[in-house]
Amino acid sequence: MPYRIGNGIDFHKLIDGIPLVVGGIIIPFNKGSSGHSDGDALFHSIVDSILGALSLGDIGKYFPSSDSKWKNADSRKFLEFTNKLMIEKGYLIENIDSTIILQAPSIQPYILSIRENIASILSISQEQVSVKATTTDKLGFIGSGEGISTFSSVLLKK
C-alpha cells in the first residue's frame, strides 16, 4: 500500500509534584502527567498512530509498563524507536495531526516548540507537524484538572 493512516490516543492522570512533559517539552505547572515512563501523552499517541499505520500493534507491545526498564524513561526513545521501525518498513511521514486536551495550563505558548521538537526527532519539516490544544470546558476528569488526553493521526507514504 502506498499510503497508510494510523490513529493514536493516550490518557494520563495529573498528579502534584511531577513535571508536565508534553511533546518532549517541560511545561511549567504544579501537576504532571503520571505514567510508567515520563508520562508524555503526546509522544505516546504519536507512537501509537505510527505503529497502528504499520499494523505493528501499540506502544505497550514494545515498551510494556510491566518492564522496569521503562520506568521514568524519556518517551523520546519510544518515538525514535518507532521512527526507525517505520523507515525499515519503507515508509515516511507525510503529516501528523495531534490534539492535546487539557484544562490547564494553556499549551498555546509551547506549541511551536513542541512542533519543532517532534519534527527534529522524526527528521521531517515542522510544516508536516500539526499540534492543537483544547479544553473540555471544565467537563469530566480533564475539565476538573485530573487528567490529560491526546489524539494523533499520521499519514505515511511508501
Side-chain angles (χ1 to χ4, degrees), residues 57-94:
D58 64 26
I59 194 169
K61 177 178 176 181
Y62 299 92
F63 307 102
S65 58
S66 59
D67 187 341
S68 61
K69 175 180 179 179
W70 305 117
K71 180 75 175 153
N72 299 319
D74 183 342
S75 293
R76 176 187 181 106
K77 293 177 185 178
F78 305 163
L79 193 54
E80 290 170 339
F81 172 85
T82 305
N83 191 45
K84 286 178 189 170
L85 275 179
M86 178 192 67
I87 292 167
E88 287 171 7
K89 294 282 186 186
Y91 285 90
L92 296 174
I93 293 172
E94 283 289 307

Side-chain angles (χ1 to χ4, degrees), residues 6-9 43-53 57-60 82:
N7 297 296
I9 183 172
F43 276 2
H44 297 174
S45 69
I46 294 171
V47 166
D48 268 349
S49 69
I50 295 169
L51 291 172
D58 64 26
I59 194 169
T82 305

Side-chain angles (χ1 to χ4, degrees), residues 12 33 37 49 56 84 144 147:
H12 284 274
S33 180
S37 64
S49 69
L56 293 176
K84 286 178 189 170
S144 67

